[in-house]
Amino acid sequence: MLPVPDAPVLHGCSFVFAGDMMQHKEQIRSAFRDSTTYRYDECLKGISHLTEQADVAVCNMEAPFGGEPYTGYPAFSAPDEFASAIAEAGFDIFLTANNHCLDKGRKGLVRTLDVLDSLNIRHLGTYRNQAERDSLHPMVLDVNGIRVALLNYTYGTNGIPVPSPCIVNLIDTVQMANDLYKARRQNAGCIIVCIHWGEEYHFSQNREQENLAKWLISHGADHIIGSHPHVIQPVVLLSGKSNGTSRHIIAYSLGNLISNMSAKGTDTGLMLEIRLSQFLSTVWMNGYKEYRVRTLRPTVSGKPYFQVIPE
């Protein structure tokens, strides 16, 4: 039973989720300073207040850190400085399970994890081996006394086979059911599934996303955060109980956070704040807020760097 509205709240925390961190050729070129230096420190300053006000900030890291030569689409490899700039902007956790995680093969996947570990950036979705996955996924956090589990999956890897012994979390209902069960066994009061799915450049979710979202919730997920379409798709609330007291939020796609894409809608994204509260052993969402953001290219802003600003 949920607490009555005037009952004292013992714990509270907030998460902010951001969309796709892309790194196209023009972004790499604009960050270049000399033969060894890339600068991204100005790119995310305009939204750092949104990450800093949250207890945990999460983003989808779409470009692996595969080392030189640095490349954009279709096979990404971002400069390491991009990772440190994102962390300095207040992001705590990088999601790495997406269709570009194997753009630079096994070496790129492993090097990405090495770079993030060297910067003390937490990550989930891809792993060096099965033992590492077993110990790190689901990621269960204790945030102000509330245990929150994060899970991360992708629909695929652009047709590139996952090289042994590496692990990429793919959308597999058997594996996801096991992970959801494991999260509850680890006493997670709230489970948030971050999932790479849907159709690129479509402004509405498809039936497959809807069905999978319902399946995830029926198997224990509380909230679902989507990525991959590169445009914003609807954020909806579902009632989990007949009396409407248990609400689940589904963000089908947060769009891009930063990119050089030119298709309609790809220059905007959402940052979604979810506020959680706990009374006794019950955790619930007591509110959420959407922040719309836009990427300004140098040709628009007149500045020599890409810049994300609130709309």
Side-chain angles (χ1 to χ4, degrees):
M1 178 181 293
L2 288 174
V4 294
D6 59 348
V9 174
L10 298 184
H11 304 286
C13 67
S14 63
F15 282 71
V16 164
F17 294 88
D20 302 338
M21 293 283 190
M22 309 300 296
Q23 190 64 188
H24 293 95
K25 187 175 180 179
E26 285 303 317
Q27 293 170 264
I28 297 171
R29 182 178 293 126
S30 72
F32 180 76
R33 294 296 178 268
D34 57 46
S35 60
T36 60
T37 305
Y38 291 80
R39 295 287 298 274
Y40 294 95
D41 49 303
E42 297 290 340
C43 296
L44 301 174
K45 278 188 176 180
I47 58 166
S48 61
H49 63 289
L50 299 177
T51 59
E52 290 168 358
Q53 72 185 17
D55 293 298
V56 181
V58 184
C59 68
N60 176 49
M61 189 62 243
E62 192 96 6
F65 299 99
E68 295 184 281
Y70 303 129
T71 53
Y73 182 83
F76 294 106
S77 182
D80 299 352
E81 290 89 341
F82 189 44
S84 57
I86 296 170
E88 289 169 7
F91 286 96
D92 305 292
I93 299 173
F94 287 17
L95 307 171
T96 58
N98 55 65
N99 58 305
H100 287 287
C101 65
L102 285 174
D103 279 3
K104 298 301 179 179
R106 179 184 180 277
K107 178 183 175 182
L109 184 150
V110 171
R111 190 180 185 281
T112 296
L113 303 181
D114 291 343
V115 168
L116 299 184
D117 287 345
S118 73
L119 296 170
N120 294 315
I121 299 170
R122 301 191 70 169
H123 51 85
L124 75 158
T126 59
Y127 305 91
R128 297 174 181 89
N129 51 57
Q130 185 65 51
E132 184 175 68
R133 185 196 191 275
D134 291 343
S135 66
L136 297 179
H137 193 271
M139 178 185 287
V140 181
L141 309 170
D142 189 316
V143 188
N144 299 338
I146 300 178
R147 287 180 66 82
V148 180
L150 297 178
L151 291 74
N152 181 214
Y153 305 94
T154 178
Y155 74 91
T157 55
N158 289 341
I160 303 171
V162 180
S164 180
C166 296
I167 301 292
V168 175
N169 283 353
L170 299 174
I171 294 173
D172 177 318
T173 54
V174 173
Q175 182 64 66
M176 292 191 295
N178 289 336
D179 291 343
L180 290 163
Y181 177 72
K182 181 179 177 182
R184 290 297 182 200
R185 286 288 301 271
Q186 293 178 332
N187 298 317
C190 177
I191 299 176
I192 302 175
V193 177
C194 302
I195 191 162
H196 211 65
W197 62 356
E199 298 177 71
E200 291 183 313
Y201 316 119
H202 285 237
F203 291 91
S204 297
Q205 71 275 15
N206 59 31
R207 184 64 58 85
E208 184 178 3
Q209 287 169 277
E210 292 176 344
N211 290 340
L212 184 53
K214 292 176 182 177
W215 183 92
L216 286 165
I217 289 172
S218 72
H219 284 75
D222 292 295
H223 309 296
I224 300 169
I225 309 296
S227 59
H228 177 60
H230 300 300
V231 295
I232 298 170
Q233 291 184 343
V235 176
V236 301
L237 283 175
L238 293 183
S239 174
K241 296 182 180 179
S242 58
N243 62 8
T245 57
S246 178
R247 295 187 302 172
H248 307 281
I249 193 165
I250 304 172
Y252 282 106
S253 172
L254 297 181
N256 289 331
L257 187 76
I258 188 168
S259 81
N260 188 46
M261 290 184 172
S262 58
K264 181 181 179 182
T266 55
D267 61 341
T268 58
L270 284 182
M271 295 180 70
L272 178 68
E273 178 187 16
I274 298 176
R275 296 186 296 277
L276 302 175
S277 293
Q278 178 173 309
F279 180 81
L280 300 178
S281 61
T282 301
V283 178
W284 72 98
M285 182 181 68
N286 68 14
Y288 74 96
K289 190 169 183 179
E290 301 172 30
Y291 301 94
R292 196 176 179 98
V293 298
R294 179 181 298 275
T295 297
L296 298 182
R297 304 183 194 183
T299 54
V300 174
S301 67
K303 298 178 180 179
Y305 48 82
F306 285 73
Q307 181 183 22
V308 183
I309 62 170
E311 278 204 313

